[in-house]
Structures are given as C-alpha cells and as structure tokens.
Amino acid sequence: MKFYNAPFTINKKEYNDIRNKLIQFKDGTKTRKNVFVVTITTFGIVENSHSIKLVTNSLKMDCLFLPIQ
C-alpha cells in the first residue's frame, strides 16, 4: 500500500515489481486461476503502456464514498 498525492504512474520499475509479485503469488499458491491487478487510488492512474498491460481495473476514491444527502 502506498499513498500518492497525484495520479499514480506505473513506470518500468513498478511494472516489473508488480509483475514479479504476481508470478510469486501464482507460484506460491499453485493457482490455475486468473489473477487480476486492481488499483484503488485517490486520484487514479496515468494510462501508459505499462498500466494498460498490467492493470485490469482501476477504482478511484470517489466510488468508495457515497455523497451525504
């Protein structure tokens, strides 16, 4: 878990780090199921080649809280 005060950018280092964690999880659990990368962020993520290849779904903070009526 990390906090950023701007949209999160997945650079090559972050991409490799998350991809390695996925591989370790699949190997460790011996799962044959699909594993999806979902981000939950305050300001969203920047779409680039790394995020498009890696992130299945991205949720921003506004979908977690209902407006007070």
Side-chain angles (χ1 to χ4, degrees):
M1 181 178 286
K2 298 177 184 181
F3 174 78
Y4 289 90
N5 59 358
F8 180 65
T9 302
I10 298 177
N11 57 27
K12 187 173 184 174
K13 180 186 175 303
E14 288 287 341
Y15 173 81
N16 288 330
D17 185 40
I18 295 169
R19 194 165 181 283
N20 287 336
K21 289 177 183 179
L22 278 173
I23 292 168
Q24 288 178 351
F25 178 80
K26 286 181 178 181
D27 289 345
T29 60
K30 308 256 189 280
T31 185
R32 295 177 61 202
K33 309 267 184 196
N34 288 332
V35 178
F36 300 101
V37 175
V38 177
T39 62
I40 302 172
T41 62
T42 307
F43 301 104
I45 61 170
V46 175
E47 280 196 20
N48 59 22
S49 62
H50 300 302
S51 67
I52 291 171
K53 287 189 276 186
L54 187 65
V55 177
T56 305
N57 202 349
S58 179
L59 305 172
K60 289 197 289 184
M61 181 177 66
D62 58 351
C63 74
L64 299 177
F65 300 99
L66 297 174
I68 298 174
Q69 304 222 8

